[in-house]
Amino acid sequence: MLHQPLIMSGKNDDDSDATIAIDTKPKTKRPPLYKVLLLNDDYTPMEFVVHVLERFFGMTHAQAFEIMLTVHKKGLAVVGVFSHEIAETKVGQVMDFARRHQHPLQCTMEKEE
Ligand code: TYC
């Protein structure tokens, strides 16, 4: 957005000139986004991971299966990008659900960029 600094000029106590430019740029900073990451392990059943991705991340079975395989092969994958509050909720839901089913599945979040 175009903007110009507000220029304020005047005299100092000693009669010398004083000029300051005040930045008037509108501050429209977006809140940071957070990647939610799913980590591979050797014990959590593949079908359980697929179910987690369908249930908490709104994926179709085919999408969920593909992401699960990516995590299985590469060690981890980003499963979504959210505001801090939503990311925290997703991580909590996954960790809770995995613990209740006694699977060691790990889910974490990381600030984007
Ligand atoms: N590696 C697991 C297995 O072979 C499957 C798995 C995939 C586990 C993704 C965790 O985030 C995960 N049963």
Side-chain angles (χ1 to χ4, degrees):
M1 193 199 205
L2 284 174
H3 67 281
Q4 282 179 313
L6 174 64
I7 309 292
M8 301 192 76
S9 300
K11 291 289 190 185
N12 290 325
D13 287 346
D14 65 1
D15 209 40
S16 62
D17 292 314
T19 300
I20 56 168
I22 297 166
D23 193 349
T24 58
K25 182 177 181 184
K27 290 183 180 58
T28 55
K29 242 185 1 195
R30 289 175 295 282
L33 291 174
Y34 291 78
K35 297 183 281 191
V36 170
L37 307 160
L38 203 60
L39 277 54
N40 188 37
D41 67 72
D42 293 339
Y43 306 103
T44 305
M46 288 185 173
E47 271 313 318
F48 182 81
V49 178
V50 170
H51 180 68
V52 162
L53 292 171
E54 291 171 340
R55 182 174 181 134
F56 299 115
F57 297 92
M59 296 183 194
T60 65
H61 191 80
Q63 287 171 334
F65 197 87
E66 194 177 310
I67 298 288
M68 179 281 296
L69 269 190
T70 300
V71 178
H72 177 70
K73 289 191 234 171
K74 308 237 181 193
L76 83 179
V78 176
V79 298
V81 178
F82 308 97
S83 70
H84 187 273
E85 188 176 355
I86 301 290
E88 231 171 33
T89 300
K90 300 280 181 195
V91 169
Q93 287 172 331
V94 172
M95 294 300 284
D96 239 55
F97 193 63
R99 190 180 38 76
R100 289 204 323 263
H101 289 85
Q102 303 190 48
H103 294 311
L105 182 63
Q106 294 295 303
C107 184
T108 61
M109 60 193 272
E110 182 181 283
K111 196 172 176 179
E112 213 180 42
E113 261 74 294

